[in-house]
Amino acid sequence: MNTSVEKRKQSKAVKREIFSIKPVALGCGLLMLATGAAYAQQASEKLDTVTVTGIRKGIEAAISIKKNSDSIVEAVSAEDIGKLPDNSIAESIARLPGLSAQRVAGRAQVISVRGLSPDFATTLLNGRELVSTSDNRSVEFDQYPSELLSGVTVFKTPDAGLVGQGLSGTLDMQSVRPLNFGSRVVTFNLRGSNNSLGSAANASANGNRLSASYIDQFNNRTLGIAIGFAHQETPVAENQTGTYEPYFANPTTTVNENRHRPGVADGVFMTDGVKALRRTGFTKRDGVMATVEWKPTSDWTSTLDLFSSKTKQTDTANQFESHLYYNGSYPCEPACTWTNAVVNGSGTLVGGTVASVYPLVRGQYNRREDKINAIGWNNAFKLAGVALSADASYSKANRDETNLEVNTQLVPAKQLDSLTMLFPNNGFVTMNPGRDYSDPSKLFLRDSIYGSGYARIQNIEDELGSLKLLAKLPAPDSLGSWFADFDLGLNYVDRKKSKHQPEGPITLKGAEAPISSDLIYKSVNLDFAGSKLSSIPSFNVPGIVDKYMNLSPSETDAAYKIPGAWTAKEKITTGFLKANIDSNWGGVSVRGNFGVQVQAVNQSSQANYWDAAAPAGKNVKPVDDGKTYTDVLPSLNLAFGLGNDQTVRFALAQQVARPRVDQLRAAINFGVDQSTGKPGASGGNPRLDPWRADAVDISYEKYFGNKAYFAAAAFYKKLNSYIYTQSNAYDFSKFIAGYVPPAGSPPAQTTGQFEAPYNGQGGNLSGVELSVSLPFAQFSPMLSGFGLVASTSMTNSSIKIKADPNSQSSVGSADIALPGLSKTVSNLTFYYENSGFEARISQRRRSDFIGEIKNFDASRSLRYVVGENITDAQIGYSFNEGSMKGLGLTLQVNNLTDSAYRTYFGTKDRPGEYIKWGRTVMLGASYKF
């Protein structure tokens, strides 16, 4: 009865793109067409055994993983060493059924699984939980070079032995195991790239990436070594226009005369500011991954994994910007009056000219350096029929980020101007000024309407250590007809994450002054936002700050800065018991598992709070809070073999996702109302419980060996709780101890309102996923080499949440849909591969969703994001014989149609950001020994 168990052990790899079609009807049609053709061929002939390479190799490896898994999984697998199918690991993952990516700076960076935001998924590296350089748990995948990974497996259903599991899914990135290779392998990859937006300011449009891998075996194949290095330099290139949030209805003159925007009718929705920018810079990433695998006997294997990544990004937003109701006086003086206002049918201002504004030319600089280091050591033993393993790991991430801004204006103040504007719902906002802003000698550093500048210096450090012990016990003879074996395990994780964010205004050392020529770069062209913006100066912002300005950021000198600094700790002990099923029920083969996982969590946070009632200079006080809780998580996975390579899967589970780390911060802003004595505060909540859910999954899968398959899956999740920012009654006894009310004020009460994240009501989430991988040779030998991989998923949710206060100006105060949820996600890849030649074109689509961005104050903010349609293409040729054997050439184009990233406020005729990152063309060569 252990045959299928051994086969499952062989599926030790990774994952591949199972891609999608936009219309559901087309997806269903392809599934039925593939079924009929493949059934016919399967009945008439037995396919020859051949050695596959390239695209087909990656696809077939991914199909094998999905087919042999006990859980419902998706997989993407490397086509060859150092060759995953996409430019980044995130892009490959985003092509899997039910998964979608959000672009950041033009790159697929964070992943949503089954309509839930990245907060609900966890990411592992070789089965070990990962640290993150964000202020949360979600991993930024572009920090992991695709060249160093053999693949990724996405577990959509958990089992009791999956430690570090997420609620929406668990993504396990995997590196190679050198003893799985039959001989030495050496590969080199080199690519050059160019961005279609071109060079600007001091930045080039060209980039490069190179990688090398070495895999070998020694001592009669008892020792294996794998070492990989990947380097990448990518230009930062971005054209953007944006509007200020929120859009608001123009007040009536009778209600509040000094807030009415003159020249625009009462009640018309409008914005109070516009900007246009060209972002320039570069991203440099170096990654190293190494594995040493030692197998001195057949009963002992010791594996050491090492990973290190260092990423540096430097960019500057060279920006033209104007407030439309503040020109140094608020309201404007003289008045910022609109003429020729154009209002659409839904009552939104879509064009016009506004007078008496005072625009700025700004430089907003960002430098971010991320370091991730991880080590893991696994020892697996076999002793008297019992398989034992011990796995120890440690990882650390560090992020240092500096944000600087400087502001210039025409002088002498006020050099007022007029802007003629258009607000399209699918294009750049245009804002043609009347004055000329191209001469940097006329633009002075000064105390503008936004001050002379601002600085924010952020540091995030994340450390995680873990130890896992596992025993696999053979089933006794009396249970052998039902079970293959039993897993018993214990895992301990100790995690500490801290954040510091000193910030503050940058002030001029002396009088207003123009910027010296040595600190001025080549002008940038913003004519996409107006023909009169074709030459806007760009600046060396750090050099300007050093030469002209005073910089002294702090994290404790004002109440609003307090939430930026905190430490969060988690100690999690997980025990699990899992029974692995390998049986036959009434002539139907059954495999899978059932078991229970118990998580005991001790979470705490240490930070400061701002006591507004304390004497000046004594406002900052320490606070320490936390809680413990235990979750018992049963799970069941069953895979029924129906014959003719058909499988039906069924899964039940109770699942959890731990709260966002930044929500667990103890930092708060506290005060007492001197007129009433009532206390109040806002901040984080270290006493949060996790998100909890009950899940049901079912899947039907039809395979044709490892060459083709189609699948139809459905899932249902009942979220028993969700985490919302709310205002609830709170006992402030420990905060008011020692409080002395001012003369004439009442004493402090003990109970008040505390605005913080709390556990609240959940709801239901359900969806359907269809996927197919089909080589067209299933239809006819004449179509050999052609094929497609496609998927589509449809997700619905009854869950409505109230946006946090930071986001209500952009998504409103009414209840909104789940962040990250696109109701429809589809992917489609057509490919051709024959005699060394390969070509593919891939498209991924997602419908509108609520995304998450980093706001101007470095906080997380929600935005309505217009659905995306991203197309990539690639052609290549590999020499398989002759003197050039081993050489491969590749031409790749990412974002072929230069698809824009668009956000909006409430309705699409109220545009937020409209961003284009250009298309990237890459030409490269690889060589494999």
Side-chain angles (χ1 to χ4, degrees):
M1 284 306 231
N2 291 334
T3 304
S4 63
V5 176
E6 292 303 316
K7 289 176 68 177
R8 296 199 300 273
K9 291 179 181 177
Q10 295 169 8
S11 63
K12 216 180 169 174
V14 265
K15 89 184 199 181
R16 161 63 183 157
E17 45 201 289
I18 312 196
F19 300 81
S20 73
I21 312 170
K22 184 181 179 183
V24 178
L26 178 57
C28 295
L30 281 170
L31 298 183
M32 291 186 291
L33 185 62
T35 306
Y39 262 121
Q41 178 160 342
Q42 193 177 57
S44 63
E45 62 176 296
K46 180 179 180 181
L47 298 177
D48 294 334
T49 300
V50 295
T51 300
V52 294
T53 60
I55 298 172
R56 287 299 314 164
K57 179 180 179 181
I59 292 173
E60 293 186 14
I63 291 174
S64 178
I65 294 165
K66 182 177 180 70
K67 179 179 180 179
N68 293 313
S69 175
D70 287 342
S71 303
I72 298 177
V73 304
E74 310 294 346
V76 59
S77 181
E79 298 164 6
D80 210 334
I81 301 303
K83 189 181 178 184
L84 274 166
D86 285 283
N87 189 42
S88 75
I89 189 67
E91 289 167 355
S92 294
I93 296 171
R95 299 193 193 283
L96 295 170
L99 278 72
S100 56
Q102 181 177 335
R103 290 190 293 169
V104 177
R107 306 184 302 273
Q109 188 181 78
V110 292
I111 299 294
S112 295
V113 181
R114 287 184 159 179
L116 291 169
S117 77
D119 299 329
F120 291 88
T122 57
T123 302
L124 314 176
L125 179 60
N126 292 318
R128 306 174 182 110
E129 193 171 354
L130 276 174
V131 290
S132 170
T133 56
S134 72
D135 58 3
N136 189 25
R137 305 180 195 278
S138 56
V139 167
E140 297 175 347
F141 287 94
D142 54 356
Q143 295 177 337
Y144 294 86
S146 60
E147 297 93 333
L148 302 183
L149 298 172
S150 62
V152 184
T153 300
V154 179
F155 293 87
K156 291 182 174 178
T157 61
D159 65 52
L162 184 62
V163 176
Q165 59 187 255
L167 189 149
S168 61
T170 307
L171 295 81
D172 187 13
M173 300 187 292
Q174 297 136 5
S175 58
V176 300
R177 291 293 176 253
L179 292 182
N180 289 348
F181 290 78
S183 61
R184 176 188 303 153
V185 179
V186 181
T187 63
F188 295 97
N189 290 280
L190 176 64
R191 294 186 184 184
S193 67
N194 178 267
N195 185 277
S196 63
L197 295 183
S199 301
N202 66 325
S204 171
N206 298 322
N208 64 80
R209 57 190 301 165
L210 61 91
S211 64
S213 298
Y214 171 78
I215 302 172
D216 210 346
Q217 303 81 32
F218 306 91
N219 297 337
N220 197 28
R221 297 189 55 80
T222 62
L223 177 65
I225 295 175
I227 302 173
F229 169 77
H231 168 85
Q232 176 178 292
E233 291 186 38
T234 307
V236 174
E238 175 184 314
N239 287 339
Q240 180 190 149
T241 58
T243 59
Y244 287 11
E245 58 182 87
Y247 266 70
F248 59 93
N250 191 21
T252 64
T253 55
T254 55
V255 173
N256 197 347
E257 187 171 356
N258 72 336
R259 293 294 186 264
H260 178 76
R261 277 55 171 173
V264 179
D266 295 347
V268 170
F269 281 86
M270 59 188 300
T271 180
D272 257 349
V274 291
K275 65 179 179 180
L277 63 90
R278 172 64 192 272
R279 195 180 306 275
T280 59
F282 73 93
T283 300
K284 179 181 177 181
R285 184 193 65 200
D286 291 306
V288 177
M289 189 173 287
T291 297
V292 178
E293 193 175 14
W294 185 41
K295 192 173 183 179
T297 72
S298 60
D299 293 331
W300 178 25
T301 302
S302 183
T303 306
L304 179 68
D305 293 307
L306 302 170
F307 173 79
S308 180
S309 175
K310 181 178 180 180
T311 305
K312 178 180 179 181
Q313 177 170 320
T314 302
D315 64 76
T316 302
N318 310 286
Q319 186 164 312
F320 176 86
E321 182 173 345
S322 182
H323 202 291
L324 306 180
Y325 197 60
Y326 177 29
N327 59 8
S329 303
Y330 187 84
C332 293
E333 181 59 43
C336 294
T337 302
W338 287 82
T339 57
N340 302 318
V342 180
V343 179
N344 69 10
S346 63
T348 299
L349 182 70
V350 295
T353 299
V354 61
S356 301
V357 296
Y358 194 8
L360 301 88
V361 175
R362 315 179 77 178
Q364 296 184 323
Y365 170 85
N366 176 75
R367 186 189 71 225
R368 174 174 166 177
E369 295 187 12
D370 295 344
K371 297 178 182 178
I372 301 174
N373 293 294
I375 181 171
W377 185 27
N378 181 276
N379 284 274
F381 309 88
K382 291 181 181 178
L383 184 64
V386 177
L388 304 171
S389 70
D391 190 282
S393 66
Y394 173 80
S395 58
K396 181 177 181 179
N398 188 81
R399 167 178 160 189
D400 289 305
E401 185 169 8
T402 299
N403 305 112
L404 304 172
E405 74 172 42
V406 296
N407 300 316
T408 70
Q409 288 180 301
L410 297 173
V411 293
K414 306 173 183 178
Q415 295 292 304
L416 301 181
D417 201 354
S418 63
L419 294 179
T420 299
M421 290 178 289
L422 292 174
F423 300 91
N425 63 7
N426 187 13
F428 290 111
V429 172
T430 57
M431 53 197 84
N432 264 312
R435 292 184 180 273
D436 180 8
Y437 294 85
S438 63
D439 186 352
S441 67
K442 296 180 180 179
L443 292 164
F444 277 51
L445 294 165
R446 62 181 305 273
D447 188 14
S448 73
I449 62 173
Y450 296 131
S452 53
Y454 201 82
R456 182 178 297 107
I457 300 173
Q458 188 178 97
N459 173 262
I460 295 175
E461 190 170 280
D462 193 2
E463 289 185 88
L464 189 152
S466 69
L467 176 64
K468 181 179 180 180
L469 303 175
L470 174 66
K472 184 180 287 291
L473 309 173
D477 292 341
S478 60
L479 298 177
S481 61
W482 290 88
F483 302 106
D485 44 44
F486 298 91
D487 291 344
L488 178 66
L490 183 68
N491 188 84
Y492 177 76
V493 170
D494 190 342
R495 185 172 194 171
K496 176 183 177 182
K497 189 158 194 150
S498 61
K499 178 182 178 182
H500 292 276
Q501 188 174 290
E503 56 185 299
I506 302 174
T507 58
L508 289 169
K509 293 178 180 178
E512 298 178 355
I515 299 168
S516 59
S517 59
D518 61 308
L519 298 176
I520 297 174
Y521 299 135
K522 181 181 177 182
S523 294
V524 297
N525 184 356
L526 305 184
D527 64 359
F528 57 86
S531 59
K532 295 184 179 181
L533 298 177
S534 60
S535 181
I536 297 297
S538 64
F539 308 129
N540 178 344
V541 175
I544 292 170
V545 172
D546 184 60
K547 183 173 182 178
Y548 295 98
M549 315 188 95
N550 298 307
L551 174 64
S552 54
S554 170
E555 61 184 15
T556 58
D557 63 353
Y560 75 92
K561 299 180 182 181
I562 293 300
W566 46 262
T567 296
K569 298 176 181 178
E570 292 177 327
K571 297 180 179 181
I572 304 171
T573 302
T574 303
F576 61 89
L577 175 63
K578 182 176 70 170
N580 296 306
I581 301 169
D582 188 3
S583 186
N584 190 291
W585 298 357
V588 176
S589 67
V590 182
R591 55 187 171 87
N593 54 72
F594 71 90
V596 63
Q597 184 178 108
V598 180
Q599 296 182 5
V601 178
N602 183 341
Q603 65 190 31
S604 63
S605 177
Q606 297 75 41
N608 293 319
Y609 73 94
W610 181 272
D611 185 352
K618 298 183 179 180
N619 305 97
V620 180
K621 299 179 179 179
V623 59
D624 189 336
D625 202 359
K627 72 173 298 182
T628 61
Y629 60 86
T630 300
D631 279 296
V632 179
L633 306 173
S635 62
L636 168 71
N637 288 278
L638 295 175
F640 300 92
L642 302 184
N644 202 24
D645 243 355
Q646 299 176 91
T647 300
V648 170
R649 301 180 189 272
F650 177 75
L652 292 172
Q654 290 187 335
Q655 300 173 296
V656 297
R658 294 192 296 279
R660 282 175 20 191
V661 181
D662 61 327
Q663 292 178 325
L664 293 174
R665 71 187 188 277
I668 66 172
N669 186 357
F670 167 78
V672 176
D673 187 330
Q674 295 183 4
S675 63
T676 64
K678 191 170 185 177
S682 62
N685 184 2
R687 301 182 186 181
L688 279 173
D689 285 326
W691 289 290
R692 294 186 173 102
D694 300 323
V696 182
D697 288 79
I698 189 168
S699 173
Y700 170 77
E701 301 161 8
K702 166 61 185 170
Y703 294 92
F704 307 94
N706 289 333
K707 296 184 178 300
Y709 89 97
F710 74 86
F715 67 91
Y716 172 83
K717 291 183 186 293
K718 180 183 178 184
L719 270 71
N720 299 312
S721 69
Y722 199 89
I723 296 174
Y724 308 87
T725 297
Q726 305 172 56
S727 185
N728 290 344
Y730 188 84
D731 183 357
F732 288 99
S733 298
K734 68 179 181 180
F735 294 98
I736 62 172
Y739 171 72
V740 179
S745 295
Q749 302 175 30
T750 57
T751 303
Q753 292 295 304
F754 184 21
E755 183 179 80
Y758 289 97
N759 296 99
Q761 183 178 356
N764 303 324
L765 180 76
S766 61
V768 175
E769 299 167 347
L770 305 174
S771 58
V772 59
S773 178
L774 178 64
F776 290 171
Q778 299 288 109
F779 298 103
S780 169
M782 295 180 62
L783 298 176
S784 179
F786 290 96
L788 69 80
V789 184
S791 70
T792 188
S793 62
M794 296 143 286
T795 307
N796 288 295
S797 174
S798 67
I799 304 171
K800 299 292 182 181
I801 70 169
K802 186 172 292 295
D804 62 84
N806 281 341
S807 300
Q808 291 184 10
S809 61
S810 58
V811 297
S813 58
D815 290 348
I816 59 173
L818 282 174
L821 172 62
S822 288
K823 290 189 175 181
T824 303
V825 176
S826 52
N827 294 278
L828 176 63
T829 293
F830 283 102
Y831 64 86
Y832 175 76
E833 183 177 42
N834 197 358
S835 301
F837 178 79
E838 60 182 53
R840 81 182 107 207
I841 185 165
S842 301
Q843 183 184 78
R844 66 178 191 268
R845 291 175 176 263
R846 66 181 303 185
S847 58
D848 293 2
F849 64 101
I850 296 176
E852 195 172 80
I853 67 167
K854 187 173 78 170
N855 218 338
F856 68 94
D857 62 354
S859 64
R860 294 152 60 104
S861 181
L862 300 178
R863 284 282 197 280
Y864 289 108
V865 183
V866 177
E868 294 187 308
N869 178 2
I870 310 298
T871 302
D872 302 324
Q874 178 179 315
I875 60 173
Y877 185 80
S878 298
F879 294 87
N880 296 320
E881 57 186 10
S883 61
M884 301 180 71
K885 182 179 180 180
L887 176 65
L889 303 175
T890 303
L891 175 64
Q892 186 171 348
V893 184
N894 290 340
N895 195 17
L896 183 65
T897 60
D898 193 11
S899 177
Y901 175 84
R902 299 160 50 199
T903 68
Y904 60 95
F905 301 111
T907 61
K908 291 180 181 177
D909 60 350
R910 298 167 191 169
E913 293 88 6
Y914 186 90
I915 304 174
K916 284 205 167 186
W917 289 297
R919 69 180 58 84
T920 299
V921 178
M922 289 178 287
L923 179 64
S926 62
Y927 196 86
K928 177 181 177 181
F929 294 90

